[in-house]
Amino acid sequence: MNTTNTDLARILVTREAIQTRVGEIARQIDHDYRDASRLLVVGILRGAFIFTADLTRQLAIPHIVDFMALTTYGKRTTVGEVRVVMDLREPIENEHVLLVEDIVDGGHTLSYLQRMLADRNPASLRTCVMVRKRRENALARIDYLGFEIPDAWVVGYGLDYADRYRTLPFIAELKPEVYRK
Ligand code: IMP
């Protein structure tokens, strides 16, 4: 039985709003990197695969795309230890790197990644995030942000709960009873 729709509390960001915002961010990135010879876009798997695909297809500047995969140990809705399970294929020294993430909550994952990639001496390192939960004291620096959302568990547009709901075309809040089961 398909229980997806009954599991959702409400849609927070519609498909149309996402498409418009991705286009705006792409034009901002085109502008900001107009003098760079090329941009290396690094998507963080698995959550950012859809955002990375949509964003890069809107970029006009020369760019290449690579991915890293992370895993977080610990319970699914709390902060755990971050580990790289698939690294970049090439060194990033002297490259202009744009990290693409699906979501920032406390910022733990992103700040870990930023520190790790900064140590590899890129020419520059910026971060693009689709959604950020509204919180005080978030750790990580974000250069391009799609949307701020309330502090709830959200799914869709790459975001999952227990590997489900990733391919929904919008971002929706999951009913608390689904993730507290
Ligand atoms: P942070 O380290 O607290 O910023 O958590 C970021 C990571 O937790 C993300 O990369 C996601 O994998 C996961 N995450 C946090 N909140 C959500 C959510 O609402 N939906 C889906 N994944 C989330």
Side-chain angles (χ1 to χ4, degrees):
M1 190 176 73
N2 183 355
T3 53
T4 296
N5 289 333
T6 53
D7 291 348
L8 306 179
R10 60 183 168 141
I11 294 179
L12 292 175
V13 190
T14 63
R15 174 188 217 147
E16 295 73 25
I18 292 171
Q19 276 168 3
T20 303
R21 191 72 191 113
V22 170
E24 288 169 357
I25 294 172
R27 284 189 290 281
Q28 184 67 50
I29 292 170
D30 280 343
H31 175 79
D32 293 349
Y33 289 92
R34 62 196 178 282
D35 296 327
S37 56
R38 73 168 181 188
L39 179 64
L40 169 60
V41 180
V42 175
I44 306 306
L45 298 174
R46 286 178 281 181
F49 79 110
I50 293 176
F51 183 28
T52 306
D54 284 352
L55 182 70
T56 50
R57 286 180 298 167
Q58 299 264 348
L59 290 178
I61 52 164
H63 62 277
I64 55 174
V65 185
D66 201 353
F67 291 95
M68 289 179 83
L70 302 182
T71 183
T72 309
Y73 289 102
K75 275 180 67 184
R76 195 63 193 91
T77 57
T78 58
V79 174
E81 187 194 330
V82 184
R83 219 185 62 177
V84 175
V85 290
M86 187 189 86
D87 207 336
L88 298 170
R89 286 172 179 238
E90 309 284 344
I92 59 168
E93 195 163 2
N94 301 323
E95 296 278 357
H96 292 285
V97 177
L98 180 68
L99 206 51
V100 178
E101 248 297 32
D102 50 357
I103 189 163
V104 169
D105 187 354
H108 178 71
T109 311
L110 192 55
S111 70
Y112 170 86
L113 265 170
Q114 287 172 334
R115 267 178 284 140
M116 190 178 75
L117 294 182
D119 281 348
R120 300 182 188 181
N121 298 316
S124 67
L125 177 63
R126 285 189 185 159
T127 302
C128 180
V129 175
M130 191 65 214
V131 290
R132 173 172 62 193
K133 291 190 190 173
R134 234 168 264 137
R135 268 180 191 270
E136 312 259 309
N137 312 322
L139 288 169
R141 198 198 69 242
I142 298 174
D143 300 285
Y144 306 97
L145 177 65
F147 300 93
E148 289 227 307
I149 56 165
D151 187 6
W153 196 264
V154 293
V155 294
Y157 201 64
L159 293 158
D160 75 308
Y161 174 70
D163 282 325
R164 296 182 58 202
Y165 319 101
R166 261 191 220 285
T167 54
L168 293 172
F170 45 74
I171 296 171
E173 187 178 327
L174 202 57
K175 285 181 182 163
E177 58 263 35
V178 177
Y179 58 87
R180 291 202 191 115
K181 261 177 204 163

